[in-house]
Amino acid sequence: MRTPIALAIACIATVLTVDAAPSTCTKSYKVISGDNCYTIGEKFNSSAPKLISLNPSINSKCTNLKVGQVICLSKSATSTKKTTIKSKTTKKTTKKTTKKTTTKKTTTKKTTTKKATTTKKTITKPSTTTSTKATSTKTTSTKTAGATPTLNYTKGLVAAVNSKSDFCMFLPSSPGGKDLNNGKVDDEAISKSEKSANAFCLKANKNAPGARLFPKNFIESAHFYRNSTAGYVQVTGKFNPATYSLSIKDGGGQYDNHGKGSPPLSMCFGYKYFVNLVEPDKPDYCMRCCDSYEDCHAGRSTYGCGRVVSNGNYN
């Protein structure tokens, strides 16, 4: 036969186990056409990573949203309050049985409550990790690894690649790099703007807030490719340097988000890495966004688009 102490502890464990269930959703939203995690987060003063953490059904890139899908915007910790109330009731019942077990019961209650709190924090902690190891932003042929960036997006520094008619990449902040060359066209505008470039898109893109539009007739050809197995997308082709006052003597340069980024804080929406080369002297461009560093290797900039994105179409 169980002693009064054993019965009391069993009751407490039962109540706390029941109330440690996940918090319920207190605010939800039905997905409409054109929505994505970034725009939904912006609309409700939240963020894409938070929405993904609150909704296990959404994948890490937020590419599987469906029109009519109901997603959770916030959850409450009501289960913790319930635990406190029920624990107090059990404590009172046990006191009637014996006074000598008061200290043990109080200790058991506090220990269980702390464990429940720790579990809750683990569930809501963002899954994105950040490497604190600093890496050089200079791209050379000897570079073998890159820091893992977080999926944080800064206005004007977010590119995106969705199709051949809907993509973004980086360019100098002014035509011909004049703002960094005393108002004159710079024959090295691309390489000299690697720390100050801005995102440019073919058309307004919700995933690239603050991006500017390419000059009219800047893009002459675009070839889109997606590798679902490796987890990368790319767009390659020809452009017209004259529409943005870029010199045909300019051998080009590379933008990427390895290390501190070129430009710093730059990202490609939905992907951990990107590499983007612009070469006015050819004139070729290539933009690839990847899940893996090896598919967006930053240590080959001196070889140009033909080596960095070797399967690209540059006609």
Side-chain angles (χ1 to χ4, degrees):
M1 180 180 292
R2 292 189 180 182
T3 63
I5 295 176
L7 289 172
I9 294 175
C11 289
I12 293 173
T14 300
V15 172
L16 292 175
T17 300
V18 172
D19 293 323
S23 307
T24 57
C25 182
T26 59
K27 187 175 182 180
S28 60
Y29 173 74
K30 181 180 286 187
V31 178
I32 62 175
S33 178
D35 275 341
N36 57 60
C37 285
Y38 181 87
T39 56
I40 294 174
E42 191 175 61
K43 185 185 300 182
F44 293 99
N45 195 27
S46 184
S47 65
K50 182 176 180 180
L51 290 177
I52 293 172
S53 68
L54 288 173
N55 296 272
S57 63
I58 301 177
N59 62 34
S60 61
K61 300 176 191 174
C62 192
T63 59
N64 62 336
L65 284 182
K66 298 179 180 179
V67 175
Q69 178 181 351
V70 178
I71 63 173
C72 190
L73 299 177
S74 63
K75 294 182 178 181
S76 67
T78 54
S79 57
T80 303
K81 294 183 180 179
K82 290 181 180 179
T83 300
T84 303
I85 295 173
K86 291 185 178 181
S87 297
K88 287 183 179 179
T89 303
T90 304
K91 182 178 178 182
K92 289 181 180 179
T93 303
T94 307
K95 280 185 177 180
K96 291 181 180 181
T97 304
T98 176
K99 293 182 179 179
K100 293 182 180 180
T101 59
T102 301
T103 302
K104 290 184 178 180
K105 287 183 288 183
T106 303
T107 302
T108 302
K109 177 184 175 183
K110 289 182 179 179
T111 302
T112 306
T113 303
K114 287 182 179 179
K115 288 182 179 179
T117 303
T118 302
T119 302
K120 179 183 176 183
K121 289 182 179 180
T122 301
I123 293 172
T124 56
K125 185 177 181 180
S127 59
T128 304
T129 58
T130 305
S131 172
T132 56
K133 184 178 179 181
T135 59
S136 173
T137 57
K138 183 178 180 180
T139 56
T140 64
S141 59
T142 60
K143 190 171 183 180
T144 59
T148 301
T150 56
L151 296 180
N152 295 324
Y153 303 109
T154 302
K155 188 175 183 179
L157 293 172
V158 185
V161 177
N162 299 320
S163 68
K164 69 177 183 179
S165 59
D166 185 10
F167 68 89
C168 315
M169 65 180 186
F170 291 88
L171 288 174
S173 57
S174 70
K178 295 178 182 179
D179 59 346
L180 300 178
N181 195 43
N182 299 317
K184 298 179 181 179
V185 172
D186 194 339
D187 289 344
E188 298 178 342
I190 304 299
S191 61
K192 288 183 179 179
S193 68
E194 289 179 357
K195 299 303 177 184
S196 60
N198 291 108
F200 285 73
C201 303
L202 269 177
K203 59 184 179 181
N205 191 310
K206 293 180 180 180
N207 295 333
R212 294 152 62 179
L213 296 181
F214 288 122
K216 186 177 181 180
N217 299 323
F218 180 79
I219 298 296
E220 294 186 331
S221 67
H223 305 278
F224 175 82
Y225 175 73
R226 181 189 302 276
N227 188 321
S228 300
T229 302
Y232 69 79
V233 293
Q234 68 185 43
V235 61
T236 59
K238 295 287 186 183
F239 69 99
N240 184 350
T243 61
Y244 199 55
S245 299
L246 294 171
S247 172
I248 58 174
K249 298 178 181 179
D250 191 339
Q254 176 175 297
Y255 307 109
D256 60 64
N257 66 328
H258 300 280
K260 294 182 179 179
S262 298
L265 303 180
S266 57
M267 292 290 293
C268 179
F269 185 83
Y271 292 88
K272 291 181 180 179
Y273 303 99
F274 82 85
V275 61
N276 171 204
L277 278 77
V278 180
E279 303 170 295
D281 61 337
K282 291 187 178 179
D284 294 341
Y285 72 88
C286 52
M287 176 70 180
R288 179 186 278 187
C289 305
C290 317
D291 288 330
S292 169
Y293 171 80
E294 292 304 319
D295 292 317
C296 280
H297 202 294
R300 302 170 183 158
S301 61
T302 57
Y303 296 98
C305 279
R307 175 73 178 274
V308 177
V309 184
S310 58
N311 64 341
N313 186 333
Y314 299 101
N315 295 318

